[in-house]
Amino acid sequence: MATFLYKLGRLSFRRRHFVALIWVALLTLAGVGAAGAPAAGNSSFSIPGTEAQKAFDLLEQRFPGTSADGATARVVFKAPSGEKMTDPGNKATVKETVKELSDGSEVVRVTDPYQAKAVSKDGTIAYAQVSYKVSGMELDDAAKDALKDSAQDAREAGLTVEIGGDALQAVPHTGSSEIIGIAVAAVVLVITFGSLVAAGLPLLTALIGVGIGVSAITGLASVLDLGSTTSTLAMMIGLAVGIDYALFIVSRYRAELAEGREREEAAGRAVGTAGSAVVFAGLTVVIALVGLSVVNIPMLTKMGVAAAGTVAIAVLIALTMVPALLGHAGRKVKPMGEKGKLLGRAKKKDQPAKPNLGARWASFVVRRPVAVLLLGVIGLGAAAVPATSLELGLPDDGSQPTSTTQRRAYDLLSEGFGPGFNGPLMVVVDAKDSDDPKAVFAETGDEIKGLKDVVTVTPAQPNKAGDTATITVIPGSKPSSVTTENLVHGIRDAGAGIQADTDANVLVTGSTAMNIDVSEKLNDALVPYLVLVVGLAFLLLIVVFRSILVPLKAALGFLLSVMAALGAVVAVFQWGWLSGLMGVEQTGPVMSMMPIFMVGVVFGLAMDYEVFLVTRMREAYVHGEKPAQAVVTGFRHGARVVTAAAVIMMAVFAGFIGSSESMVKMIGFGLAIAVFFDAFVVRMAIVPAVLALLGRKAWWLPNWLDRALPNVDVEGEGLRTASGDDDRELVRV
């Protein structure tokens, strides 16, 4: 592989104008496609195989035209102090509002609070429910404006009016903090390279790669049903890895220049060596992201595949466009150790090389491996403690900031009708195979009334054929509570008994039941996903490092960092520690997909640093250095770059903490803190400590496996042999 990439790097350097033109043309083509494509909405949310989804599908068949998965809005009214909603003036205002709401072209129906008995017992709060034909993200602006205008008219009449539900769902925005993240990355690059030109190359190539990836996602959003969050995730990961991969190539290029090689040769060798590490690091990220498909949640699968595509583009750009731009930059990119005039720290030619900070740190770890190892493991273990209190759920209006109308509507409904009213359960009774459907409907309602935590059970509403009915159940607890989850399982258990007696099928659905099913599906998929992703990456790393213990150590270190990161997420988003600093206005359960998502993404990113840092160590070891000295050599060449890459990645991820979408905010924080733990605790402390303790055993590989594995030559030995510039005897590992 190193030889092929070496030739690719030299070709890109020589044909730099042509290579740069190709990538600019691809960016232009993707941009034109995105500009002419329909705007992305939320991906249609379906969870194959869950009971809640089966019930939705059944409703579409038996209740055609009801738009069971369409958007809903609850317009909540509260009377002024001392008045009631049943007063003539207030009643007239509500009826006028209901009439205005019914005029919308996308409205299926609007319930009148007085006919539907949707007035609280004390008479101070009432609500009208609006059902739409399409989802919240598919509603046009006119429908949303009409909803807001109707509420405003009622407010002007003296009522307090708030709007809940998903009809006002908006495309999330990330805010200015994303730009701050890129700015921090730029500063780190300038400090690392001491040159504006060298620092600008990784930023420029990363932005081009992300531009192509996000534009392609935007252009295909309507065709492939990609949600708005998909492009946000692709941008987040694409920026981080794009900058890092280009940083690796440019750093190795400068190191090759420092050894006295011509620029074209240096570019070829940089791509042949660091480029090999980039390829395998990118492969681990792609495996982790594409592996999300094992969960069998279409939305998650699409997010993973789209982000993986952006990572693949970042790898290709690092291997081709970066050497091309290095050719354009010429002598403006200086050899390693020459800082130029920008930072004023140029090294004199006759000045002896001193051990840099990375080499000094590695030497310290090698001398005290046990102490460093224990300190790192205990520290990460302490950070992981909050993860033992992890509570999973999906966000609802109760998790919105108190400044939003959705949250205020949620609170008003809880005040007037109880906390469970915000998460009603819809029970679908399929009595098509039953002899007496009406009796089954009545029996089901009676069974549910006898369960704990049930406040209200509405009479069954049959379809025209009379073989299927819906029953609405109002729990006594809030939607995200364990009590409500137990109630859902209780109804399903009761439904199993009814099915045995009457052949009728009882299904529970609704947003609350769907959230519960999603959480359980994600939990069930976590172990198979870990086995698949970590197993495949483990095999890949065996090929890269030609070792058993090094990949095993890499996987165990990852588990430590991801558990510590989950603990930090729980502490901030569930317990509320530092919530004000992070802009978390409302604490609550951690998003259900967060653990499995962090496992996938963090594993891929963690392997970036593992591959780049440890391949340098192996390169030194196979060329004759002792194991301990190889660790120091690896840090001397790689620690500065890995540190810069980690800080850049943290800055990019942290930039998304400013997002208005709680899911994006949580992912941004979780990935940023995970990179910190993995790069600075696991890779910079635990890894060298373990390698120092293992010595030569770290690079042991059974002879039969050594013969069976393909030689991918990540260290670039083929390049050294071909040029004859290194006559040191190789160590057999």
Side-chain angles (χ1 to χ4, degrees):
M1 174 179 285
T3 304
F4 169 76
L5 293 178
Y6 165 78
K7 293 177 180 178
L8 179 63
R10 293 196 63 168
L11 178 64
S12 299
F13 189 95
R14 287 197 306 271
R15 301 287 186 264
R16 47 188 174 272
H17 302 295
F18 181 66
V19 171
L21 183 62
I22 288 177
W23 284 111
V24 171
L26 288 174
L27 177 62
T28 303
L29 184 63
V32 170
N42 256 11
S43 177
S44 57
F45 194 77
S46 63
I47 314 297
T50 60
E51 181 172 316
Q53 187 62 50
K54 292 176 183 176
F56 271 128
D57 296 340
L58 183 63
L59 286 172
E60 290 290 341
Q61 296 174 12
R62 306 288 174 84
F63 293 83
T66 57
S67 300
D69 58 349
T72 59
R74 280 179 169 176
V75 183
V76 188
F77 306 90
K78 183 175 183 179
S81 179
E83 299 182 18
K84 293 189 175 183
M85 291 306 303
T86 52
D87 293 345
N90 294 335
K91 192 172 183 178
T93 300
V94 172
K95 286 188 172 293
E96 180 62 28
T97 303
V98 170
K99 182 180 178 182
E100 291 180 19
L101 292 170
S102 302
D103 293 337
S105 60
E106 295 184 323
V107 174
V108 176
R109 61 184 174 277
V110 181
T111 60
D112 186 315
Y114 304 101
Q115 295 179 4
K117 298 181 180 179
V119 181
S120 62
K121 291 182 179 180
D122 62 4
T124 60
I125 297 175
Y127 74 91
Q129 181 152 317
V130 187
S131 300
Y132 293 89
K133 299 176 182 177
V134 296
S135 67
M137 292 301 296
E138 293 172 322
L139 276 179
D140 58 31
D141 292 338
K144 294 181 180 181
D145 291 341
L147 180 60
K148 295 175 184 177
D149 292 343
S150 298
Q152 185 59 36
D153 292 342
R155 291 190 187 102
E156 292 174 356
L159 298 178
T160 298
V161 186
E162 304 296 345
I163 305 171
D166 59 355
L168 293 183
Q169 195 171 11
V171 176
H173 63 272
T174 55
S176 59
S177 55
E178 176 190 346
I179 305 300
I180 296 175
I182 297 176
V184 171
V187 172
V188 173
L189 288 169
V190 170
I191 294 174
T192 302
F193 292 134
S195 164
L196 290 176
V197 174
L201 286 179
L203 278 178
L204 176 61
T205 54
L207 289 173
I208 290 174
V210 167
I212 294 172
V214 172
S215 296
I217 291 170
T218 303
L220 297 173
S222 179
V223 177
L224 300 181
D225 193 24
L226 303 177
S228 55
T229 308
T230 304
S231 59
T232 304
L233 175 65
M235 181 188 302
M236 182 189 302
I237 296 178
L239 268 177
V241 301
I243 294 174
D244 280 5
Y245 294 165
L247 170 64
F248 295 160
I249 300 291
V250 175
S251 296
R252 188 59 183 252
Y253 171 75
R254 296 176 69 235
E256 296 293 338
L257 288 179
E259 293 185 9
R261 293 189 173 89
E262 294 295 328
R263 293 187 177 273
E264 182 178 327
E265 177 69 11
R269 286 177 172 268
V271 176
T273 51
S276 298
V278 166
V279 169
F280 282 99
L283 275 176
T284 58
V285 179
V286 169
I287 288 173
L289 290 170
V290 174
L292 290 170
S293 59
V294 303
V295 184
N296 196 26
I297 295 180
M299 181 187 73
L300 196 59
T301 299
K302 293 171 184 176
M303 289 171 62
V305 172
T310 307
V311 171
I313 293 172
V315 171
L316 292 174
I317 283 184
L319 300 178
T320 57
M321 191 174 187
V322 169
L325 293 183
L326 288 172
H328 282 289
R331 298 187 178 278
K332 293 179 181 178
V333 177
K334 299 181 180 298
M336 186 77 73
E338 293 186 20
K339 293 292 182 180
K341 298 180 180 179
L342 183 62
L343 298 180
R345 294 187 345 211
K347 188 184 77 173
K348 297 179 181 179
K349 290 184 178 180
D350 298 332
Q351 182 178 344
K354 295 181 179 179
N356 59 21
L357 182 60
R360 294 197 298 272
W361 167 251
S363 298
F364 170 80
V365 175
V366 167
R367 290 195 303 270
R368 298 173 178 82
V370 176
V372 172
L373 178 61
L374 289 176
L375 187 62
V377 171
I378 292 172
L380 290 178
V385 169
T388 58
S389 302
L390 178 66
E391 295 178 8
L392 298 176
L394 289 178
D396 55 19
D397 286 347
S399 62
Q400 297 269 10
T402 53
S403 59
T404 62
T405 186
Q406 292 95 328
R407 173 60 189 276
R408 291 196 292 264
Y410 181 97
D411 292 340
L412 284 177
L413 288 172
S414 297
E415 176 188 341
F417 302 93
F421 199 80
N422 284 290
L425 306 175
M426 180 181 291
V427 179
V428 182
V429 185
D430 179 9
K432 190 173 184 179
D433 298 328
S434 178
D435 297 332
D436 189 354
K438 290 184 179 180
V440 173
F441 301 155
E443 180 184 351
T444 303
D446 292 339
E447 286 281 345
I448 295 173
K449 288 177 183 177
L451 299 175
K452 293 181 180 180
D453 201 48
V454 173
V455 174
T456 305
V457 179
T458 64
Q461 301 292 323
N463 62 350
K464 291 182 179 180
D467 58 4
T468 308
T470 60
I471 300 173
T472 301
V473 180
I474 306 298
S477 304
K478 63 181 182 179
S480 58
S481 68
V482 176
T483 308
T484 301
E485 182 178 349
N486 292 335
L487 175 59
V488 170
H489 291 302
I491 295 174
R492 288 172 174 171
D493 292 340
I498 293 172
Q499 184 177 26
D501 296 337
T502 64
D503 292 328
N505 194 15
V506 179
L507 305 172
V508 185
T509 189
S511 59
T512 301
M514 181 68 82
N515 289 351
I516 292 170
D517 287 351
V518 170
S519 297
E520 292 180 352
K521 191 177 182 70
L522 288 165
N523 287 338
D524 293 342
L526 184 57
V527 173
Y529 177 69
L530 264 174
V531 172
L532 174 68
V533 173
V534 177
L536 287 176
F538 180 77
L539 295 176
L540 186 65
L541 291 178
I542 289 178
V543 174
V544 174
F545 296 126
R546 308 193 76 79
S547 164
I548 298 293
L549 295 180
V550 170
L552 180 61
K553 172 264 306 171
L556 293 177
F558 150 74
L559 291 176
L560 278 174
S561 59
V562 79
M563 288 303 298
L566 274 176
V569 169
V570 170
V572 173
F573 291 88
Q574 187 175 310
W575 292 359
W577 294 4
L578 301 177
S579 57
L581 181 63
M582 297 297 163
V584 180
E585 296 187 33
Q586 184 64 36
T587 59
V590 173
M591 184 178 58
S592 297
M593 66 178 66
M594 193 67 188
I596 198 167
F597 185 81
M598 282 189 65
V599 165
V601 177
V602 174
F603 182 80
L605 299 179
M607 294 306 103
D608 281 4
Y609 306 121
E610 179 75 16
V611 169
F612 191 78
L613 193 61
V614 180
T615 49
R616 273 291 199 167
M617 298 178 190
R618 175 176 168 77
E619 184 177 346
Y621 177 69
V622 299
H623 286 93
E625 293 188 8
K626 294 181 179 180
Q629 183 58 40
V631 171
V632 176
T633 300
F635 267 74
R636 183 173 69 249
H637 291 295
R640 182 182 181 87
V641 178
V642 169
T643 299
V647 172
I648 289 168
M649 196 171 281
M650 288 168 56
V652 172
F653 287 149
F656 288 84
I657 296 175
S659 173
S660 63
E661 175 66 41
S662 60
M663 172 180 170
V664 176
K665 181 189 292 286
M666 190 179 294
I667 289 174
F669 171 80
L671 294 183
I673 198 70
V675 168
F676 171 78
F677 287 142
D678 197 88
F680 294 106
V681 181
V682 175
R683 309 303 153 191
M684 291 291 184
I686 294 178
V687 165
V690 171
L691 291 177
L693 289 172
L694 291 175
R696 294 185 181 275
K697 295 178 182 178
W699 307 107
W700 172 79
L701 188 70
N703 290 332
W704 64 268
L705 186 56
D706 187 25
R707 291 190 297 269
L709 290 178
N711 183 14
V712 296
D713 190 20
V714 177
E715 305 86 20
E717 178 52 34
L719 305 182
R720 293 177 179 269
T721 303
S723 62
D725 63 353
D726 195 331
D727 56 359
R728 286 177 293 177
E729 182 180 356
L730 299 185
V731 177
R732 182 67 178 173
V733 296

